[in-house]
Amino acid sequence: MTEPLLTAPPEATRPVRLGIHGAPHLASGIITAAGHDPQDVEFVPYDVAEPFRPLREHTADIMIVKYALREADIALSRPVAFDGRALIVAADHPLADRATVSVEEAARYDAFSCPGDFPPYVWDEVVPPRTPAGTPVRRVHPMTTVEGMVGILSTTRAVHLSFRSLEAILPPHIRAVPVHDLPPAPVTLAWLRDAPLHPKAAALVADAERGAERSTR
């Protein structure tokens, strides 16, 4: 592990509380690859506008994050998975029927702005302010909930540069089109740096790191 874990006294009867946003199947895959039973983990949904609140209020033991964090009170595992990039659009959008799409094409349409207390430096990875060719990305629509995003996508020509994992929870009238010129996002597990960690959560982090290493050999 990249950082030492402070282990709390055993709490054998309580499941690991894992913070997630969006579809749970990415988390389930990480748990299974770690050799753990998903039934032993309780998913704790977090608000994208306050992503670290469950950790800081001790209602989650660990959480799934993407890209590198620079939060002083939060420690990170090594990457435990990768999540491919996708453009989320309405089914009648001009890009909806494409097999793949370029971020340069996506930049022709309005995108979503950084929500609430979400770290802007991470949002710049999720929805880049400019494409590799230098085209500005118009980040104008408010990002609130998945339902709110779907409502905007359904009534406008807006697009959301997001992740393939989101596809599992999209309604039929919304599509996820793979983006071929943005690299997959590294997925890590995060926990409070100076707080004792539930022993099952510590084991899950360590086993998830080992599972990711095995998958790349």
Side-chain angles (χ1 to χ4, degrees):
M1 248 175 245
T2 54
E3 301 218 19
L5 300 176
L6 300 176
T7 303
E11 299 173 82
T13 60
R14 180 169 75 72
V16 177
R17 300 170 304 186
L18 175 60
I20 65 168
H21 176 72
H25 81 279
L26 175 63
S28 296
I30 292 169
I31 295 165
T32 301
H36 288 236
D37 186 345
Q39 297 296 321
D40 293 333
V41 178
E42 175 188 347
F43 293 146
V44 179
Y46 65 80
D47 185 341
V48 71
E50 298 180 292
F52 310 122
R53 183 172 181 177
L55 277 190
R56 290 168 175 162
E57 293 188 349
H58 304 283
T59 58
D61 302 302
I62 54 179
M63 68 181 289
I64 285 182
V65 300
K66 292 164 187 170
Y67 301 111
L69 290 182
R70 302 196 298 267
E71 305 299 306
D73 61 334
I74 295 177
L76 297 177
S77 71
R78 297 192 296 273
V80 296
F82 289 87
D83 198 358
R85 301 305 309 272
L87 190 70
I88 313 302
V89 297
D92 62 353
H93 192 280
L95 299 177
D97 292 329
R98 298 282 297 276
T100 68
V101 67
S102 165
V103 66
E104 305 293 341
E105 295 171 293
R108 300 171 188 165
Y109 302 91
D110 291 342
F112 285 79
S113 60
C114 184
D117 293 330
F118 194 94
Y121 63 89
V122 177
W123 195 253
D124 285 349
E125 300 280 359
V126 179
V127 183
R130 291 182 177 274
T131 70
T135 304
V137 175
R138 300 189 301 271
R139 304 185 296 183
V140 297
H141 290 290
M143 175 59 72
T144 54
T145 63
V146 172
E147 293 77 14
M149 175 197 70
V150 165
I152 291 172
L153 295 178
S154 301
T155 56
T156 70
R157 283 288 183 251
V159 301
H160 179 42
L161 282 163
S162 187
F163 305 99
R164 297 289 298 274
S165 62
L166 191 61
E167 186 173 15
I169 60 169
L170 295 177
H173 65 287
I174 302 294
R175 303 260 176 91
V177 184
V179 176
H180 61 255
D181 53 355
L182 288 179
V187 180
T188 60
L189 297 172
W191 62 93
L192 286 181
R193 189 183 303 278
D194 296 325
L197 189 61
H198 188 294
K200 289 183 179 178
L204 177 56
V205 172
D207 291 340
E209 289 183 328
R210 283 192 287 268
E213 288 175 359
R214 287 193 299 269
S215 70
T216 58
R217 289 175 185 168

